[in-house]
Amino acid sequence: MLPPAARLTRSQDFGLVVRRGRRAGRPRLVVHVLKPDVPTLDSSKVGFVVSKAVGNSVVRHRVYRRLRHVVRPALDELPPGTLVVVRALAPAAEASSSELAADFTSALRKVLR
């Protein structure tokens, strides 16, 4: 589980990250990252988008849980105040946790360059 302070919950925050942040796509997911303009001590936050294109409710929640598990260790390594949105694509439904982890770390590395 992600701590409440590390969750993106407002629709406006999701929109801001997707519109103004940098993006990197991989076969199973897309990662959007918005780094703060000025240094801050706020914690990094992450949000997930798993649409019906991924599958039915059971499949979507399974993908969401796997992504949460993959992203949690990376939160400590992000610059403070960074906002991240992870959008799952349809192939994420058949992906293993290790495949999702590889896609996430690869996309995050590209965006943070």
Side-chain angles (χ1 to χ4, degrees):
M1 207 60 184
L2 290 173
R7 298 179 200 156
L8 271 181
T9 56
R10 295 182 3 184
S11 176
Q12 295 90 350
D13 293 338
F14 277 85
L16 178 71
V17 175
V18 171
R19 277 193 317 276
R20 290 190 39 216
R22 294 188 60 193
R23 174 183 73 207
R26 295 294 177 261
R28 296 167 201 88
L29 51 89
V30 178
V31 176
H32 301 268
V33 175
L34 181 62
K35 292 196 277 189
D37 296 332
V38 294
T40 180
L41 296 177
D42 294 340
S43 64
S44 297
K45 295 185 179 196
V46 64
F48 301 93
V49 178
V50 185
S51 72
K52 287 187 177 182
V54 174
N56 64 21
S57 177
V58 174
V59 173
R60 290 194 313 267
H61 283 89
R62 184 181 311 127
V63 169
Y64 171 68
R65 285 191 306 271
R66 286 180 177 170
L67 287 173
R68 227 179 30 214
H69 178 73
V70 164
V71 170
R72 184 178 170 100
L75 279 176
D76 298 333
E77 297 157 12
L78 292 173
T82 302
L83 303 178
V84 179
V85 171
V86 180
R87 184 166 43 99
L89 302 175
E94 290 87 30
S96 67
S97 294
S98 60
E99 292 171 331
L100 291 174
D103 281 355
F104 175 73
T105 54
S106 170
L108 189 63
R109 194 175 314 124
K110 180 178 179 187
V111 171
L112 291 178
R113 267 195 263 162

